[in-house]
Amino acid sequence: MPRFFLETLDESDICITGPDARHIGLALRMRVGDPLTVCAYGKDYQCRIRSISPEEVHLEMISAALCAAEPSVAITLYQAMPKVDKLEQIIQKSVELGAVRIVPVLTRRCIARPKPQEFQKKQQRLQKIAVSAAKQTGRGMIPQVDKLYTFDQMCDEICQADCAVLLYENGGVRFGEVPLEKVQSVALIVGSEGGFDPEEAQQLIQNGAVAVWLGERILRCETAPLAALSILMHRTGNL
């Protein structure tokens, strides 16, 4: 059944507009009475088309339920800025694995160092990658690809999560030692190709992050977040 995402909706009159409305009528050739699914707020709304035009599709809600594909833990990935092609891959696979937000961060050892204005131009394409991955995996919401953060912005924000995990190649506890009982939100912090400067790692730890060591094998910056997300999803019963 076709799935469409809305940021907000009125359950008494669910309305799809813009490109999605044209896609429903012109590409999918759907008609009044046809069923489709609308996703918002982590819920799946099973609907039936009530009226349709190239500009607007009005729906009648049949039922609503929490999306089974949405994990019970909200993981925000703070990814030190890698090369753009690697970031695209990280975003796609992180969304598939259940991350709710991806925040690119500029750290000392980043090879790619776009200015905020330059990154803003690429952000729209990166968000489209997240949208496509969310649709493909049946997510109940579209994860947000955020603006380019400074290191200090990340440090200020990670303390808001129930648990902050720093992947650190120079040592730390094993993932199995990280307490995740009753955790509802996790900040996952991953370095770029050059990893983290020791002073940065120490600052993150002082801000509440738990340094986690993934073993003797040094993983690429596009592999490490996917391995960590998989472990976190498994340990929280979401995989």
Side-chain angles (χ1 to χ4, degrees), residues 5 25 28 49 72 78 88 99 128 134 141 163 180 182 194 220:
F5 290 89
L28 297 180
I49 296 176
S72 61
Y78 294 88
E88 291 178 356
K128 286 181 179 179
M141 50 85 72
C163 176
L180 294 173
K182 299 182 179 179
R220 292 179 179 271

Side-chain angles (χ1 to χ4, degrees), residues 33-91:
D34 286 348
L36 56 75
T37 302
V38 171
C39 305
Y41 316 128
K43 289 184 177 181
D44 284 348
Y45 294 83
Q46 307 303 327
C47 301
R48 183 183 297 113
I49 296 176
R50 192 174 65 199
S51 67
I52 186 168
S53 74
E55 291 75 32
E56 293 185 347
V57 179
H58 291 268
L59 309 172
E60 174 191 358
M61 187 182 71
I62 300 170
S63 64
L66 290 174
C67 178
E70 283 304 310
S72 61
V73 60
I75 301 178
T76 296
L77 170 62
Y78 294 88
Q79 174 66 54
M81 187 69 192
K83 295 178 181 178
V84 174
D85 59 332
K86 294 181 179 180
L87 181 60
E88 291 178 356
Q89 180 182 351
I90 291 168
I91 289 170

Side-chain angles (χ1 to χ4, degrees), residues 167-232:
L167 299 191
Y168 193 43
E169 66 275 14
N170 290 333
V173 302
R174 293 284 190 175
F175 244 119
E177 299 174 63
V178 179
L180 294 173
E181 294 78 12
K182 299 182 179 179
V183 165
Q184 295 182 327
S185 60
V186 176
L188 174 61
I189 309 158
V190 184
S192 63
E193 291 90 344
F196 283 106
D197 180 277
E199 289 184 7
E200 290 178 324
Q202 187 58 40
Q203 187 174 341
L204 287 164
I205 292 168
Q206 289 174 351
N207 278 269
V210 178
V212 171
W213 185 58
L214 288 179
E216 298 289 351
R217 293 179 299 281
I218 303 298
L219 302 182
R220 292 179 179 271
C221 67
E222 66 268 33
T223 306
L226 309 184
L229 278 165
S230 299
I231 294 170
L232 284 168

Side-chain angles (χ1 to χ4, degrees), residues 30 39 86-87 107 127 144 152 162 164-165 197 211 227 230:
M30 299 184 76
C39 305
K86 294 181 179 180
L87 181 60
T107 63
Q127 187 63 55
Q144 176 68 32
D152 287 340
D162 294 338
V165 173
D197 180 277
S230 299

Side-chain angles (χ1 to χ4, degrees), residues 29 51 64 71 86 95 99 103-104 116 146 150 163:
R29 298 180 181 275
S51 67
K86 294 181 179 180
V95 171
V103 182
D146 223 311
T150 65
C163 176

